[in-house]
Amino acid sequence: MAVDRSQDLPAVGEPTPVGFSIAGGSVLVVGAALLAAAAFTPAELPGRVLVIAAAVGAYAAVAADLRAVAAVSALAAATFVGFLAHRFGELTAPGHAWSYAALIGIAAVLGVGCRYLRSVLDHDEPTSPLRTRSR
């Protein structure tokens, strides 16, 4: 990545660097994990995973980089399994926590799909076949 030192102000419209997107998503995942731990008991895994999945799905709907979405989704699944389903960050403990973690991946895919549909509809708005044109 080259740095252009001749610019006085940052360029407007430049994409957010992947590292910043991952860092923001990581903060979101940690906040969602704290909220899930405070709102649900350790036996209520469905409620805990829904909080994490909602946060990841919302993040995927606004994040522009798929690499950041994949990294944040993997972090969210590991955080759920290691700290919300099991104790002390144990990812290989017996149980069915990884089957719940699949919901986090599904939420990420749905969020990316929503973002894609929004971008398609934004680009097709002026030439939409449903819009009538007057000549």
Side-chain angles (χ1 to χ4, degrees), residues 34-135:
L34 290 173
L35 177 68
F40 297 100
T41 65
E44 296 176 316
L45 288 182
R48 288 181 166 200
V49 76
L50 285 177
V51 171
I52 299 290
V56 169
Y59 175 77
V62 298
D65 198 338
L66 292 178
R67 296 173 294 179
V69 172
V72 169
S73 299
L75 174 72
T79 301
F80 169 74
V81 172
F83 294 106
L84 294 176
H86 301 128
R87 299 182 76 185
F88 308 118
E90 205 172 329
L91 297 177
T92 58
H96 54 283
W98 284 108
S99 61
Y100 281 115
L103 185 62
I104 295 170
I106 292 169
V109 169
L110 288 175
V112 168
C114 286
R115 178 170 172 76
Y116 175 75
L117 286 176
R118 240 187 7 239
S119 70
V120 167
L121 291 176
D122 286 346
H123 290 298
D124 287 344
E125 191 66 34
T127 61
S128 176
L130 299 178
R131 179 178 276 181
T132 58
R133 297 180 192 169
S134 59
R135 292 184 184 189

Side-chain angles (χ1 to χ4, degrees), residues 13-28:
E14 290 284 322
T16 305
V18 178
F20 289 137
S21 296
I22 292 173
S26 299
V27 169
L28 177 71

Side-chain angles (χ1 to χ4, degrees), residues 1-7:
M1 181 168 125
V3 176
D4 185 10
R5 300 198 186 274
S6 65
Q7 292 180 343

